[in-house]
Structures are given as structure tokens and as C-alpha cells.
Amino acid sequence: MANKRDELIEKYATALREKFGLEPDMALLKKVTIGLGPSIYNRDSANVSGTDEKELYRVKHNFLIGKLGLQESGDLDAAIREVMNTYGASERTKYRAVIYYLLTRKFGKEAVYG
């Protein structure tokens, strides 16, 4: 029987395939998911609200700048908006692991999870 984390990783992979038309790099997806720690098991912290400015600020500052080491710029906001728009306003469940995976790929920062 698969453990809970593996089940979640498979759920995230399905979201990438169905919502974004991407075949995920499963090794990277797993590393991004593990990097989120226990937050993936809590419904609130496992998801990102696309309309909550504080939440989007945290994605930008804690993840893009803090984790990936990117510099503050309008490109960061644009990338977050692009991912949120692709996910779609009607999709209430926007998985944090999926968003972080997509942003990691977008900025070519896979090596952070080396």
C-alpha cells in the first residue's frame, strides 16, 4: 500500500497532466513535495488561494525569493499570475506542490532540489 505522501504526489501529477497538459518530472515533483514538509497534509497549507494577496505574497517571498534565490522583480508576480490563471478561477483546489513545481520549472531552478 502506498503511503499518504506517494498518494498526494500522484494526485499532483494528475493535476499537472489534466490542468496543464504536462507530463511531470516525477523525481522533481517528489523533491518539491518533500520540500513542503508536513504542510502537504493540512488542507489549508497544502493549497494556495489565487485571490488571497497575503498568500500570493508568501509564494513570492518565501518560495521564489527565499527558496529559489530569485531577485524581486515584476517577472515573479507575472509568473505567479500565469500559473494561477492557467489553473483557472473555477478550480478551488490549487495544490501548493503543483504551483511550486511549475514555478521551479519556469525559472529553471531544478538544481535547487538537486
Side-chain angles (χ1 to χ4, degrees):
M1 169 143 171
N3 68 31
K4 182 71 172 160
R5 185 176 71 204
D6 290 341
E7 290 173 17
L8 288 169
I9 291 169
E10 195 47 53
K11 191 185 294 186
Y12 303 150
T14 298
L16 285 162
R17 289 182 193 108
E18 292 177 357
K19 280 281 180 192
F20 297 92
L22 299 173
E23 186 53 43
D25 172 339
M26 293 303 288
L28 178 62
L29 183 57
K30 183 174 184 175
K31 289 175 185 174
V32 169
T33 302
I34 290 169
L36 288 168
S39 70
I40 62 171
Y41 304 111
N42 176 301
R43 191 168 187 281
D44 280 344
S45 59
N47 297 303
V48 174
S49 168
T51 57
D52 182 340
E53 289 303 317
K54 287 185 290 197
E55 181 71 29
L56 299 176
Y57 177 90
R58 280 193 296 273
V59 169
K60 179 173 150 182
H61 288 272
N62 295 357
F63 182 68
L64 293 177
I65 295 171
K67 174 77 175 173
L68 298 187
L70 297 170
Q71 297 299 309
E72 167 74 69
S73 77
D75 290 348
L76 304 185
D77 294 312
I80 293 168
R81 271 194 311 277
E82 179 185 318
V83 168
M84 292 300 174
N85 289 340
T86 304
Y87 230 133
S90 64
E91 181 62 59
R92 291 189 43 82
T93 304
K94 294 178 177 73
Y95 299 119
R96 184 176 305 276
V98 169
I99 291 165
Y100 284 16
Y101 171 89
L102 290 167
L103 291 169
T104 299
R105 296 292 302 257
K106 177 162 187 64
F107 288 105
K109 290 294 194 172
E110 294 88 344
V112 169
Y113 290 98

